[in-house]
Amino acid sequence: MQNEWFECKLEYDKMMENGTMKRVKGETYLVDAISCTEAESTMIEEMKSYISGEFMVTDIKRVKYGETFFTDEDAADRYFKVKLVFVTLDEKSGAEKKTRQDVLVQASDLHDAVRRLDEGMKGSMMDYTIASVNETTYMDVFRR
């Protein structure tokens, strides 16, 4: 079953070290869910133990990742969106066809992301090039 991913933005009040309250807006999380409703429910369930007081999911949008590469390493605390380009040859016309796909990689830094991507793609039969690697703003990823 293909994973469905949703970016969820959160808004809540946070107690600062000096005792004042600060409104936090737009923290982004990635949720593996089958619908927007399930993504919101997962966010509420996951975050209620971390946030005291009221909070709300202010935005949910579906995002597509063809592959995801996660790790349990503590140092790999960042998420990178990698744009891949696959080149295939049309047998009838002989023309090259380029297909783009976004991949999510959990890593400690940019170089680690590229290394983990290459390791994860070793079994692939398709040739690919990396068009871009960008660090996401995801605070965390919740997988089923």
Side-chain angles (χ1 to χ4, degrees):
M1 181 178 168
Q2 181 81 13
N3 289 39
E4 293 286 335
W5 294 103
F6 295 86
E7 284 183 0
C8 300
K9 293 193 186 265
L10 205 61
E11 187 174 315
Y12 61 94
D13 291 323
K14 180 179 182 177
M15 179 68 75
M16 304 306 289
E17 289 181 16
N18 64 4
T20 61
M21 294 297 280
K22 177 184 175 187
R23 190 74 175 165
V24 176
K25 294 181 180 182
E27 272 190 359
T28 307
Y29 295 83
L30 188 66
V31 179
D32 178 11
I34 57 174
S35 67
C36 288
T37 304
E38 183 186 10
E40 182 177 27
S41 175
T42 299
M43 281 300 303
I44 291 168
E45 191 62 34
E46 291 288 340
M47 299 309 293
K48 69 182 180 186
S49 61
Y50 295 106
I51 298 174
S52 61
E54 290 187 27
F55 63 92
M56 64 183 186
V57 179
T58 57
D59 187 35
I60 299 175
K61 73 176 182 179
R62 185 183 309 264
V63 291
K64 292 188 179 193
Y65 288 110
E67 291 283 337
T68 52
F69 300 102
F70 295 108
T71 180
D72 292 330
E73 285 185 25
D74 290 338
D77 60 351
R78 295 153 66 183
Y79 299 93
F80 295 84
K81 181 178 184 177
V82 181
K83 289 188 183 293
L84 298 181
V85 178
F86 296 97
V87 179
T88 56
L89 192 61
D90 185 317
E91 291 180 16
K92 291 182 181 178
S93 68
E96 282 189 352
K97 179 182 175 187
K98 293 183 178 181
T99 306
R100 298 185 190 317
Q101 184 178 77
D102 290 335
V103 174
L104 184 70
V105 181
Q106 182 181 5
S108 59
D109 59 32
L110 181 109
H111 297 292
D112 187 37
V114 172
R115 182 185 63 77
R116 288 180 190 279
L117 171 76
D118 287 339
E119 281 177 13
M121 295 297 289
K122 275 186 183 172
S124 174
M125 299 294 276
M126 301 200 45
D127 291 332
Y128 65 91
T129 57
I130 298 173
S132 67
V133 180
N134 293 299
E135 185 173 355
T136 69
T137 58
Y138 301 147
M139 301 296 290
D140 205 350
V141 174
F142 300 117
R143 298 180 279 167
R144 281 191 264 165

